[in-house]
Each structure stands twice: as structure tokens, then as C-alpha cells.
Amino acid sequence: MTTEPDAFLGGLLRLHQPSRGAHRAGTDAVLLARLMTLRAQDRLCDVGAGTGAVGLACAGLTPGLRPTLIERDPALAELARINAALNGIDAPVIVADVLAAAADRRAAGLQPDSFDAVLTNPPYFTAESHRASPHPGRASAHTFAEGCLETWIRACTAILRPGGRLGLVHRADALPACLEALRGRYGGLAIRPVHARADAPAIRVLITAIRGSRAAASLCPPLVLHDPHGGFTPEARALHTGAPWPPP
């Protein structure tokens, strides 16, 4: 664990994170935390929460929000509890594996149809498609078995109420797999590509979807993170500092 907490969202949140070399919250967590407009009364679940960055950031941006954080690694779950207390946020932390059998998830406290919104950053790679990190925590955060994305989305769907909203971030080249996992479960998809630079291919996709909706999908304008000089674009800077976008 870091000795001093990192500043997150321009200092809105303070986060203890694992040591260097392990998976640490960064831009993906920022984009996921800023993906939805939430209300204080919404029941939010951060699935695969790690140290709690996304769920706690949402609570920092929406005072009164009480997020539930789901993490399978007990050490990271304990860091999430520490971070919630550090920031004065009431955030239950549940140690559970969302890839486990439904009965095991329920036994851990994940009840069906119990959340209004679910945010998730699934592992990005299959073990067959890339060379896993030698750091166990980083490998676990980034890698899972072939076909597990569909299982992950199914588990997120099970705890989301009908009409509830799912938000996720993934690699851009995983868009077909994401759409396949969402098919038949969600409608009203809004898909936004994320580009490191305006002249470069997308590196991420941000997706929101409504459980059980039959509404058509939409492709949103791209989010460009960096200007030609390498600095943040105005939108990316606002997102990373917790400022409203578009500005009032």
C-alpha cells in the first residue's frame, strides 16, 4: 500500500493504492466514474472495484450517494474499506467473485435486481490472447479465461434491476465481444469511442446500456484525450479534475 494517498479527480478523492507494479486506478477509472449522471438516492454497485476508485469517485461527485463496492481480492477489498473511511464515504465492501456460481454470489451478499446502476471495468484480456503480468494482482485485474466476459456481464445483469443502467469501459477492439455479451439483455446502448489523439485509432470504448430496454443503439461523438502537444484536451482535463463537462 502507498504510504501517502494519491490525489484522484483533482484531489476530490484520496486513494491508497497498491505498490508500484500492481494494478492502479488511472484514466479508465476516471472515465468510468464520469460516465453516468447519478442521484444521491441511486443504488450504485462498482463491480470489480479494486481499491474503490470508481464507486468512491461517484460518491465524491454526488454527495449522499452510498455505493456498494464488489471486489474478489481480499487485500484490495481491505484497501477499498480504508479508502472509504479516509474519504468519509459510507460504502459497503463485499468480497465476492462475480464469476462464481449464482448461489455463491447470493451467499456473498449479491442479491438479484438490487441496484439501479452498475459500473464495471472487466479484465481486458484473456489468458490466451496476451502475456500476463508477472505481478499476481496486476495479472488478476487484467486477465481472465476465454468466454468470461459474457459471464461477467451476466452477473452484472443479475444484480441490476430491470430498467437499471449498466456502464462499462473496455478496449476498443473488444467492442464486438461487448456487444455480443449485451445482446438480448440490454437496449438503449450509447457507445463512445475514446482516442488518445484525434488522428489515432480508438483505444477504449465507453458503453452505457439499459437492462431490458428495446431502444435503439447510438454511436456518440468521440472523446479525445490528448491534444497535438501531448497535453489533455479541455474535456479530458475537466474529467480528470472533477470539473463539470460541458462547463456551466
Side-chain angles (χ1 to χ4, degrees), residues 22-84:
H23 176 73
R24 298 164 64 83
T27 290
D28 289 351
V30 169
L31 299 182
L32 191 56
R34 301 298 303 268
L35 185 55
M36 291 183 182
T37 299
L38 296 163
R39 304 166 300 171
Q41 65 267 33
D42 284 334
R43 298 168 298 169
L44 170 68
C45 186
D46 177 1
V47 173
T51 59
V54 172
L56 297 178
C58 289
L61 293 162
T62 308
L65 184 72
R66 184 175 182 263
T68 297
L69 312 178
I70 310 299
E71 174 51 49
R72 67 181 177 182
D73 183 327
L76 289 179
E78 182 57 27
L79 270 181
R81 292 189 185 97
I82 291 169
N83 286 331

Coordinates of all heavy atoms in Angstrom, one line a residue, residues 22-84:
A22 N 1.7 -3.1 -9.3 CA 0.4 -3.7 -9.3 C -0.6 -2.8 -10.1 O -0.2 -1.7 -10.5 CB -0.1 -3.8 -7.8
H23 N -1.8 -3.3 -10.2 CA -2.8 -2.5 -10.9 C -3.2 -1.3 -10.1 O -3.5 -1.4 -8.9 CB -4.0 -3.4 -11.2 CG -5.1 -2.6 -11.9 ND1 -5.1 -2.2 -13.2 CD2 -6.3 -2.2 -11.4 CE1 -6.2 -1.6 -13.5 NE2 -7.0 -1.5 -12.4
R24 N -3.2 -0.1 -10.7 CA -3.5 1.1 -10.0 C -4.6 1.9 -10.9 O -4.5 1.9 -12.1 CB -2.3 2.0 -9.9 CG -1.2 1.3 -9.0 CD 0.2 2.0 -9.1 NE 0.1 3.3 -8.7 CZ 0.3 3.7 -7.4 NH1 0.4 2.8 -6.5 NH2 0.3 5.0 -7.0
A25 N -5.4 2.5 -10.2 CA -6.5 3.3 -10.9 C -5.9 4.4 -11.6 O -5.0 5.1 -11.2 CB -7.5 3.8 -9.8
G26 N -6.4 4.6 -12.9 CA -6.0 5.7 -13.7 C -7.1 6.3 -14.6 O -8.2 6.4 -14.1
T27 N -6.7 6.6 -15.8 CA -7.7 7.2 -16.7 C -9.0 6.4 -16.9 O -10.1 6.9 -17.0 CB -7.1 7.5 -18.1 OG1 -6.1 8.6 -17.9 CG2 -8.1 8.0 -19.1
D28 N -8.8 5.0 -17.1 CA -10.0 4.2 -17.3 C -11.0 4.4 -16.1 O -12.2 4.5 -16.3 CB -9.6 2.7 -17.4 CG -8.9 2.5 -18.7 OD1 -8.9 3.3 -19.6 OD2 -8.4 1.3 -18.9
A29 N -10.5 4.4 -14.9 CA -11.3 4.6 -13.7 C -12.0 6.0 -13.7 O -13.2 6.1 -13.4 CB -10.5 4.4 -12.4
V30 N -11.3 7.0 -14.1 CA -11.8 8.4 -14.2 C -13.0 8.4 -15.2 O -14.1 8.9 -15.0 CB -10.8 9.4 -14.7 CG1 -11.4 10.7 -15.1 CG2 -9.7 9.6 -13.6
L31 N -12.8 7.8 -16.4 CA -13.8 7.8 -17.5 C -15.0 7.0 -17.0 O -16.2 7.4 -17.3 CB -13.2 7.2 -18.8 CG -12.1 7.9 -19.4 CD1 -11.6 7.3 -20.7 CD2 -12.4 9.4 -19.6
L32 N -14.8 5.9 -16.3 CA -16.0 5.1 -15.8 C -16.7 5.9 -14.8 O -18.0 5.9 -14.8 CB -15.5 3.8 -15.3 CG -16.5 2.7 -15.0 CD1 -17.4 2.4 -16.2 CD2 -15.8 1.4 -14.5
A33 N -16.0 6.5 -13.9 CA -16.7 7.3 -12.8 C -17.5 8.5 -13.3 O -18.5 8.9 -12.7 CB -15.6 7.8 -11.8
R34 N -17.0 9.0 -14.5 CA -17.7 10.2 -15.0 C -18.7 9.8 -16.1 O -19.3 10.7 -16.8 CB -16.7 11.1 -15.7 CG -15.6 11.7 -14.7 CD -16.2 12.5 -13.6 NE -17.0 13.6 -14.0 CZ -16.5 14.9 -14.2 NH1 -15.2 15.1 -14.1 NH2 -17.3 15.9 -14.6
L35 N -19.0 8.5 -16.3 CA -19.8 8.0 -17.4 C -21.3 8.3 -17.2 O -22.0 8.6 -18.2 CB -19.6 6.5 -17.6 CG -20.3 5.8 -18.8 CD1 -19.9 6.5 -20.1 CD2 -19.9 4.4 -18.8
M36 N -21.8 8.3 -16.0 CA -23.2 8.4 -15.8 C -23.5 9.6 -14.8 O -22.7 9.9 -14.0 CB -23.8 7.2 -15.1 CG -23.8 5.9 -15.9 SD -24.6 4.6 -14.8 CE -24.5 3.3 -16.0
T37 N -24.7 10.2 -15.0 CA -25.2 11.2 -14.1 C -26.0 10.4 -13.0 O -26.9 9.6 -13.4 CB -26.0 12.2 -14.7 OG1 -25.3 12.9 -15.7 CG2 -26.6 13.2 -13.7
L38 N -25.6 10.5 -11.8 CA -26.3 9.7 -10.7 C -26.9 10.7 -9.7 O -26.6 11.8 -9.6 CB -25.2 8.9 -10.0 CG -24.5 7.8 -10.8 CD1 -23.3 7.3 -10.2 CD2 -25.5 6.6 -11.1
R39 N -27.9 10.1 -9.0 CA -28.6 10.8 -7.9 C -28.2 10.2 -6.6 O -27.8 9.1 -6.5 CB -30.1 10.8 -8.1 CG -30.6 11.3 -9.5 CD -32.0 10.8 -9.7 NE -32.1 9.4 -9.7 CZ -33.3 8.7 -9.6 NH1 -34.4 9.4 -9.7 NH2 -33.3 7.4 -9.6
A40 N -28.3 11.0 -5.5 CA -27.9 10.6 -4.2 C -28.7 9.3 -3.8 O -28.1 8.4 -3.1 CB -28.1 11.7 -3.2
Q41 N -29.9 9.2 -4.3 CA -30.7 8.0 -3.9 C -30.5 6.8 -4.7 O -31.0 5.7 -4.4 CB -32.2 8.4 -3.9 CG -32.8 8.7 -5.3 CD -32.8 10.2 -5.6 OE1 -31.9 10.9 -5.1 NE2 -33.8 10.6 -6.3
D42 N -29.7 6.9 -5.7 CA -29.4 5.7 -6.6 C -28.6 4.7 -5.8 O -27.7 5.0 -5.1 CB -28.7 6.1 -7.9 CG -29.5 6.8 -8.9 OD1 -30.7 6.6 -8.9 OD2 -29.0 7.6 -9.7
R43 N -29.0 3.4 -6.1 CA -28.3 2.3 -5.5 C -27.2 1.9 -6.6 O -27.6 1.3 -7.6 CB -29.2 1.1 -5.2 CG -30.3 1.4 -4.2 CD -31.3 0.4 -4.1 NE -32.0 0.3 -5.4 CZ -32.9 -0.7 -5.8 NH1 -33.1 -1.7 -4.9 NH2 -33.4 -0.7 -6.9
L44 N -26.0 2.3 -6.3 CA -24.9 2.0 -7.3 C -24.0 0.9 -6.8 O -23.6 0.8 -5.6 CB -24.0 3.3 -7.4 CG -22.7 3.2 -8.2 CD1 -23.0 2.9 -9.7 CD2 -21.8 4.4 -8.0
C45 N -23.6 0.1 -7.8 CA -22.6 -1.0 -7.5 C -21.4 -0.9 -8.4 O -21.6 -0.7 -9.6 CB -23.3 -2.4 -7.7 SG -22.2 -3.8 -7.2
D46 N -20.2 -0.9 -7.8 CA -19.0 -0.9 -8.6 C -18.5 -2.3 -8.6 O -18.0 -2.8 -7.5 CB -18.0 0.1 -7.9 CG -16.6 0.1 -8.5 OD1 -16.4 -0.6 -9.5 OD2 -15.8 0.8 -8.0
V47 N -18.6 -3.0 -9.7 CA -18.2 -4.4 -9.8 C -16.8 -4.5 -10.3 O -16.4 -4.0 -11.3 CB -19.2 -5.1 -10.8 CG1 -18.7 -6.6 -11.0 CG2 -20.6 -5.1 -10.2
G48 N -16.0 -5.3 -9.5 CA -14.5 -5.3 -9.7 C -13.9 -4.0 -9.3 O -13.1 -3.4 -10.0
A49 N -14.2 -3.6 -8.0 CA -13.9 -2.3 -7.6 C -12.4 -2.0 -7.3 O -12.0 -0.9 -7.2 CB -14.7 -2.0 -6.3
G50 N -11.6 -3.1 -7.1 CA -10.2 -2.8 -6.8 C -10.2 -2.0 -5.4 O -10.7 -2.4 -4.4
T51 N -9.5 -0.9 -5.5 CA -9.3 -0.1 -4.3 C -10.5 0.9 -4.1 O -10.4 1.7 -3.2 CB -8.0 0.7 -4.3 OG1 -8.0 1.5 -5.5 CG2 -6.8 -0.3 -4.3
G52 N -11.5 0.7 -4.9 CA -12.7 1.6 -4.8 C -12.8 2.8 -5.5 O -13.7 3.6 -5.3
A53 N -11.8 3.1 -6.4 CA -11.7 4.4 -7.1 C -13.0 4.8 -7.8 O -13.4 5.9 -7.6 CB -10.6 4.3 -8.1
V54 N -13.6 3.9 -8.6 CA -14.8 4.3 -9.3 C -16.0 4.6 -8.4 O -16.6 5.7 -8.5 CB -15.2 3.3 -10.4 CG1 -16.5 3.6 -11.1 CG2 -14.0 3.1 -11.4
G55 N -16.4 3.7 -7.6 CA -17.5 3.9 -6.7 C -17.3 5.1 -5.8 O -18.2 5.9 -5.6
L56 N -16.1 5.2 -5.2 CA -15.9 6.3 -4.3 C -15.8 7.7 -5.0 O -16.3 8.7 -4.5 CB -14.6 6.1 -3.5 CG -14.5 4.8 -2.6 CD1 -13.2 4.7 -2.0 CD2 -15.7 4.9 -1.6
A57 N -15.3 7.7 -6.2 CA -15.3 8.9 -7.0 C -16.8 9.3 -7.3 O -17.1 10.5 -7.3 CB -14.6 8.7 -8.3
C58 N -17.6 8.4 -7.6 CA -19.0 8.7 -7.9 C -19.7 9.3 -6.6 O -20.4 10.3 -6.7 CB -19.8 7.4 -8.3 SG -19.4 6.8 -9.9
A59 N -19.3 8.8 -5.5 CA -19.8 9.3 -4.2 C -19.3 10.7 -4.0 O -20.0 11.6 -3.5 CB -19.5 8.4 -3.1
G60 N -18.0 11.0 -4.3 CA -17.5 12.3 -4.2 C -18.1 13.3 -5.1 O -18.3 14.5 -4.7
L61 N -18.5 12.9 -6.3 CA -19.2 13.7 -7.2 C -20.6 13.9 -7.0 O -21.2 14.9 -7.4 CB -19.0 13.2 -8.7 CG -17.5 13.2 -9.2 CD1 -17.4 12.2 -10.4 CD2 -17.1 14.6 -9.6
T62 N -21.2 13.0 -6.2 CA -22.7 13.0 -5.9 C -22.8 12.8 -4.4 O -23.0 11.7 -3.9 CB -23.4 11.9 -6.7 OG1 -23.1 11.9 -8.1 CG2 -24.9 12.0 -6.5
P63 N -22.7 13.9 -3.6 CA -22.8 13.8 -2.2 C -24.1 13.1 -1.8 O -25.2 13.3 -2.3 CB -22.8 15.3 -1.7 CG -22.1 16.0 -2.8 CD -22.5 15.3 -4.1
G64 N -24.0 12.2 -0.8 CA -25.1 11.4 -0.3 C -25.2 10.0 -1.0 O -25.9 9.2 -0.4
L65 N -24.5 9.8 -2.1 CA -24.6 8.5 -2.8 C -23.8 7.5 -1.9 O -22.8 7.8 -1.3 CB -23.9 8.6 -4.1 CG -23.9 7.4 -5.0 CD1 -25.3 7.1 -5.5 CD2 -22.9 7.5 -6.2
R66 N -24.4 6.3 -1.8 CA -23.8 5.3 -1.0 C -23.5 4.1 -1.9 O -24.3 3.2 -2.0 CB -24.8 4.9 0.1 CG -24.3 3.8 1.1 CD -25.3 3.6 2.2 NE -24.9 2.7 3.2 CZ -25.2 1.4 3.2 NH1 -26.0 0.9 2.3 NH2 -24.7 0.6 4.2
P67 N -22.3 4.0 -2.5 CA -22.0 3.0 -3.4 C -21.7 1.7 -2.7 O -21.1 1.7 -1.6 CB -20.8 3.5 -4.1 CG -20.1 4.4 -3.1 CD -21.2 5.0 -2.3
T68 N -22.0 0.6 -3.3 CA -21.5 -0.7 -2.9 C -20.3 -1.2 -3.8 O -20.4 -1.1 -5.0 CB -22.6 -1.8 -3.0 OG1 -23.7 -1.4 -2.1 CG2 -22.2 -3.2 -2.6
L69 N -19.3 -1.6 -3.2 CA -18.1 -2.0 -3.9 C -17.9 -3.5 -3.8 O -17.9 -4.1 -2.7 CB -16.8 -1.3 -3.2 CG -17.0 0.2 -3.0 CD1 -15.7 0.7 -2.3 CD2 -17.3 1.0 -4.2
I70 N -17.7 -4.1 -5.0 CA -17.6 -5.6 -5.1 C -16.1 -5.9 -5.6 O -15.7 -5.4 -6.6 CB -18.6 -6.2 -6.1 CG1 -20.0 -5.8 -5.7 CG2 -18.4 -7.7 -6.0 CD1 -20.5 -6.1 -4.4
E71 N -15.4 -6.6 -4.8 CA -14.0 -7.0 -5.1 C -13.7 -8.4 -4.7 O -14.0 -8.8 -3.5 CB -13.0 -6.0 -4.5 CG -11.6 -6.3 -4.7 CD -11.2 -6.6 -6.2 OE1 -11.6 -5.8 -7.0 OE2 -10.5 -7.6 -6.4
R72 N -13.1 -9.2 -5.5 CA -12.8 -10.6 -5.1 C -11.5 -10.8 -4.4 O -11.3 -11.8 -3.6 CB -12.8 -11.5 -6.4 CG -11.6 -11.2 -7.3 CD -11.7 -12.1 -8.6 NE -10.6 -11.8 -9.5 CZ -10.5 -12.4 -10.7 NH1 -11.4 -13.3 -11.0 NH2 -9.5 -12.0 -11.5
D73 N -10.6 -9.8 -4.5 CA -9.3 -9.9 -3.8 C -9.4 -9.3 -2.4 O -9.6 -8.1 -2.3 CB -8.2 -9.2 -4.6 CG -6.8 -9.3 -4.1 OD1 -6.7 -9.3 -2.8 OD2 -5.9 -9.3 -4.8
P74 N -9.3 -10.1 -1.4 CA -9.5 -9.6 0.0 C -8.5 -8.4 0.3 O -8.9 -7.5 1.0 CB -9.2 -10.8 0.9 CG -9.4 -12.0 0.0 CD -9.0 -11.6 -1.4
A75 N -7.3 -8.5 -0.2 CA -6.4 -7.4 0.1 C -6.8 -6.1 -0.5 O -6.8 -5.0 0.1 CB -5.0 -7.7 -0.4
L76 N -7.3 -6.1 -1.8 CA -7.8 -4.9 -2.4 C -9.1 -4.5 -1.8 O -9.3 -3.2 -1.6 CB -8.0 -5.2 -3.9 CG -6.8 -5.3 -4.8 CD1 -7.2 -5.6 -6.2 CD2 -5.9 -4.1 -4.7
A77 N -9.9 -5.4 -1.4 CA -11.2 -5.1 -0.7 C -10.9 -4.3 0.6 O -11.6 -3.3 1.0 CB -12.0 -6.3 -0.4
E78 N -9.8 -4.7 1.3 CA -9.5 -4.0 2.6 C -9.0 -2.6 2.3 O -9.3 -1.7 3.0 CB -8.4 -4.8 3.3 CG -8.0 -4.2 4.6 CD -9.1 -4.0 5.6 OE1 -10.1 -4.7 5.5 OE2 -9.0 -3.1 6.4
L79 N -8.2 -2.5 1.2 CA -7.8 -1.1 0.8 C -9.1 -0.3 0.4 O -9.1 0.9 0.7 CB -6.9 -1.2 -0.5 CG -5.4 -1.3 -0.2 CD1 -4.6 -1.3 -1.5 CD2 -4.9 -0.1 0.7
A80 N -10.1 -0.9 -0.2 CA -11.3 -0.1 -0.5 C -12.0 0.4 0.7 O -12.5 1.5 0.8 CB -12.2 -1.0 -1.4
R81 N -12.0 -0.5 1.8 CA -12.6 -0.1 3.1 C -11.8 1.1 3.7 O -12.4 2.0 4.2 CB -12.6 -1.3 4.0 CG -13.5 -2.4 3.6 CD -13.7 -3.4 4.8 NE -14.5 -4.5 4.3 CZ -14.0 -5.7 3.8 NH1 -12.7 -5.8 3.7 NH2 -14.8 -6.6 3.5
I82 N -10.4 1.0 3.6 CA -9.6 2.0 4.1 C -9.9 3.3 3.4 O -10.0 4.4 4.0 CB -8.1 1.6 4.0 CG1 -7.8 0.5 5.0 CG2 -7.2 2.8 4.3 CD1 -6.5 -0.2 4.8
N83 N -10.0 3.3 2.1 CA -10.2 4.5 1.3 C -11.6 5.1 1.5 O -11.7 6.3 1.5 CB -10.0 4.1 -0.2 CG -8.6 3.9 -0.6 OD1 -7.7 4.5 0.0 ND2 -8.3 3.1 -1.6
A84 N -12.6 4.2 1.7 CA -13.9 4.8 2.0 C -13.9 5.5 3.3 O -14.4 6.7 3.4 CB -14.9 3.6 2.1

